[in-house]
Amino acid sequence: MSPERPLLVVEQVAKRFGGFRALDGVTFHLQPGEVLGLVGPNGSGKTTCINVICGLYPPDEGSVTFDGRPIGGWKPHRLVKHSINRTFQSPRPFLSLTVRENLGFSLKIAGAAK
């Protein structure tokens, strides 16, 4: 039995901002159903990598492939039609709600996303 084709392939991706190389040859494959985390210290390129995958930044080198289709450089409005999107952290509670209500709201939203 052959292994499944990776769902997401990030291959030798580089991203530069002026003379600063935020990503330099990042490579990983994500299989269908697999959960993958990006771990590293502040400034190591985790957010830049996500931003490249989600179309906020085009890769300067390398490739990003989703479900066998090259997507590197696609804009976010095009990627969202293929279920690729990101959210931005907004750790502000709703001040008009209690702590319990804020947590309940978060759980309700998380449940709706499934």
Side-chain angles (χ1 to χ4, degrees):
M1 185 166 117
S2 64
E4 278 187 82
R5 172 179 73 184
L7 182 61
L8 177 69
V9 177
V10 175
E11 195 73 42
Q12 293 298 310
V13 168
K15 182 64 189 170
R16 290 180 296 281
F17 298 98
F20 177 70
R21 211 166 164 97
L23 300 176
D24 188 10
V26 174
T27 298
F28 62 87
H29 299 184
L30 181 68
Q31 296 294 334
E34 184 178 17
V35 176
L36 177 72
L38 295 177
V39 180
N42 290 342
S44 64
K46 302 176 299 290
T47 301
T48 301
C49 186
I50 295 297
N51 286 340
V52 167
I53 293 167
C54 294
L56 293 176
Y57 304 143
D60 293 322
E61 296 173 22
S63 63
V64 180
T65 306
F66 179 74
D67 200 19
R69 178 182 298 136
I71 62 166
W74 284 19
K75 298 292 183 192
H77 70 273
R78 186 173 176 197
L79 288 167
V80 76
K81 294 175 183 175
H82 297 275
S83 302
I84 299 173
N85 199 2
R86 65 158 294 175
T87 60
F88 295 89
Q89 184 177 354
S90 179
R92 289 185 229 131
F94 295 102
L95 298 178
S96 63
L97 301 180
T98 66
V99 171
R100 182 182 300 274
E101 289 168 333
N102 269 282
L103 291 172
F105 182 76
S106 298
L107 292 171
K108 185 178 280 191
I109 294 297
K114 290 183 181 180

